[in-house]
Amino acid sequence: MNDTTEFLILRHTDYKESDLILGGVSPYGQVSFIGKGLKKTTSKNAHACRLFSCSLMQYDKKEDRTIHLMKTASLIDSYRALREDLDLQILASLIAEIAMKIHDGNDLYAMVRKAFDLLKNKEKPFLVTAAFLSDVLKREGNQPMTDMCVRCGSTKNIVAYSMEEGGFICRDCYNVKPALLLDVPTLKNLRILVKGTMDQIEYMPEELDKPAVTRLFLESVVYHTGIRLTSMDFFVSWYPETLG
Ligand SMILES: [Zn+2]
């Protein structure tokens, strides 16, 4: 039987001398393929199996398996910019690792493709990644509270943000236990990001497009989901700045 599926390649793992295991997401969720001979220079499929590529995979489907033997791969979108631009590569690596480590679901493919489609335009890449991370927080049931103080429910005198408690903090509560002190424009922008989705990037403020914003949401995802990210250390050392 020849089965086909669209597949976004998010992880390469060496396997045997000349094979690769391709990890990624399809419209059915997280899945892996064994690609025979992909490391050989003569491989006809290698160009369609690069990291971050989206390809149509032909394979033999084995029910109850999450790893299949690939027959052929044909390129749908190479997402070349994500491999050639260092900023985009770092951001795509974060998105890819998170998509492979959070709960499986048939929504992941559309989420990651949307993020990659936006990233390859090279417009507001840090905001695109922050919006992806914000969507991950919503998906995992940890959307930050930005309508009121997360501790007391007050809507007045919001002055800070608590990553651990997941939301805004008012002045009275801040005086009891400090959090990340931010100015009002920054708090308003964070609220826009939390309330929005990746589809609204073009309407979101330019000020949100900075590594410190991405980092805040990245730390939130790691804190609230408990996943460990090897790509996070690199992000933090490359972009050391933080908000506040
Ligand atoms: Zn409060």
Side-chain angles (χ1 to χ4, degrees), residues 149 152 170 173:
C149 172
C152 74
C170 76
C173 291

Side-chain angles (χ1 to χ4, degrees), residues 77-214:
D77 192 327
S78 120
Y79 291 108
R80 198 173 72 181
L82 308 193
R83 292 184 296 277
E84 293 181 348
D85 179 296
L86 184 60
D87 285 329
L88 297 186
Q89 194 182 21
I90 292 169
L91 296 171
S93 298
L94 278 178
I95 290 168
E97 193 181 358
I98 289 168
M100 293 302 288
K101 289 186 172 172
I102 54 176
H103 297 113
D104 196 6
N106 56 16
D107 57 332
L108 287 173
Y109 177 77
M111 272 177 82
V112 180
R113 265 209 94 173
K114 180 85 204 174
F116 281 10
D117 282 339
L118 291 165
L119 279 183
K120 77 175 182 183
N121 295 334
K122 303 186 180 184
E123 284 168 25
K124 303 185 193 172
F126 295 100
L127 171 54
V128 167
T129 308
F132 172 84
L133 295 166
S134 174
D135 283 352
V136 168
L137 284 173
K138 284 176 205 157
R139 182 186 190 269
E140 304 292 306
N142 289 297
Q143 181 175 14
M145 165 58 73
T146 57
D147 292 326
M148 58 185 86
C149 172
V150 71
R151 288 185 200 156
C152 74
S154 171
T155 54
K156 297 208 170 58
N157 299 318
I158 299 294
V159 296
Y161 183 85
S162 167
M163 189 270 288
E164 292 86 353
E165 290 159 85
F168 285 175
I169 304 288
C170 76
R171 190 185 298 140
D172 291 344
C173 291
Y174 178 84
N175 288 334
V176 176
K177 185 180 169 221
L180 180 64
L181 196 62
L182 296 169
D183 58 28
V184 170
T186 303
L187 288 163
K188 280 186 173 164
N189 283 341
L190 287 181
R191 186 168 188 275
I192 291 169
L193 177 51
V194 166
K195 295 285 181 183
T197 71
M198 281 192 282
D199 290 315
Q200 293 148 353
I201 296 288
E202 60 182 306
Y203 309 109
M204 290 188 192
E206 293 275 351
E207 293 75 37
L208 284 167
D209 183 40
K210 52 187 173 192
V213 172
T214 312

